[in-house]
Amino acid sequence: MSNEQAKAEMVELLDEMRSQLREVARIQRERALITGRATVRKRVTVTTDANGIVREVRFGSRIADLSYAEIADALVRASGDAAADAARQVHELMAPLQRQRSGMPVLSDLVKGAPDIRAVLPPLTGELPPHEDSQQLRAEDIRDRDPGAMFRESGW
């Protein structure tokens, strides 16, 4: 490969990287607006953010018709369903970038001996890692629990 060809390919690669960085910034802005929502038993509605963290819980006007255990079960199910809804939206948002990324050449293909940067980068999942000291519950943390375990009648 001639020096001019290598320069042209490097310029093309840099242009593609800039384009992807702009796309990543756009996706991050859109991702911040994603909410998942689910309603169970027409009385419990949960809204989560893009990470599946519960941000809002609303009870319908006839919530008093349910026992504490039924409310707890509905809350857990709605939380999991809302988190799944948000995850689906994030996946759909990320899919075009993931397809584009998989079609890009690897730096080591263009520059002999260069490291493969993809080997050290985390996969594009669309999920932000939790804060190290975060104690927020995620949907998968509560999905398989006994629905009434945290909400037993205390007698007060």
Side-chain angles (χ1 to χ4, degrees):
M1 174 185 301
S2 75
N3 195 26
E4 291 302 314
Q5 283 178 310
K7 282 182 185 179
E9 285 187 14
M10 190 59 87
V11 167
E12 185 179 328
L13 180 61
L14 289 174
D15 286 343
E16 183 61 32
M17 284 178 54
R18 286 186 194 104
S19 172
Q20 277 204 5
L21 288 175
R22 284 191 298 274
E23 180 69 2
V24 166
R26 181 193 65 79
I27 287 172
Q28 286 176 330
R29 288 189 303 273
E30 287 185 30
R31 187 185 183 287
L33 301 174
I34 288 177
T35 58
R37 179 169 284 176
T39 300
V40 173
R41 298 186 75 146
K42 297 183 182 179
R43 295 181 183 118
V44 177
T45 300
V46 173
T47 303
T48 66
D49 64 16
N51 288 327
I53 304 300
V54 174
R55 295 298 177 195
E56 182 180 54
V57 176
R58 292 197 175 261
F59 297 113
S61 60
R62 299 190 54 188
I63 192 70
D65 294 347
L66 301 177
S67 70
Y68 290 128
E70 289 171 324
I71 293 170
D73 177 59
L75 184 57
V76 169
R77 287 182 27 223
S79 297
D81 292 350
D85 179 44
R88 177 193 52 75
Q89 292 177 60
V90 169
H91 178 76
E92 288 173 2
L93 179 65
M94 297 292 296
L97 182 62
Q98 289 173 326
R99 282 192 299 272
Q100 183 183 16
R101 184 181 182 195
S102 68
M104 284 189 62
V106 180
L107 183 61
S108 59
D109 291 344
L110 302 174
V111 179
K112 190 174 187 172
D116 182 1
I117 295 174
R118 291 183 198 183
V120 296
L121 292 176
L124 288 175
T125 62
E127 185 170 320
L128 297 176
H131 246 287
E132 212 173 276
D133 57 347
S134 174
Q135 294 186 10
Q136 295 174 327
L137 285 178
R138 296 165 42 101
E140 56 267 19
D141 296 332
I142 60 174
R143 189 173 296 129
D144 296 325
R145 288 188 183 171
D146 172 16
M150 294 180 2
F151 304 97
R152 297 284 187 229
E153 205 167 328
S154 65
W156 55 270

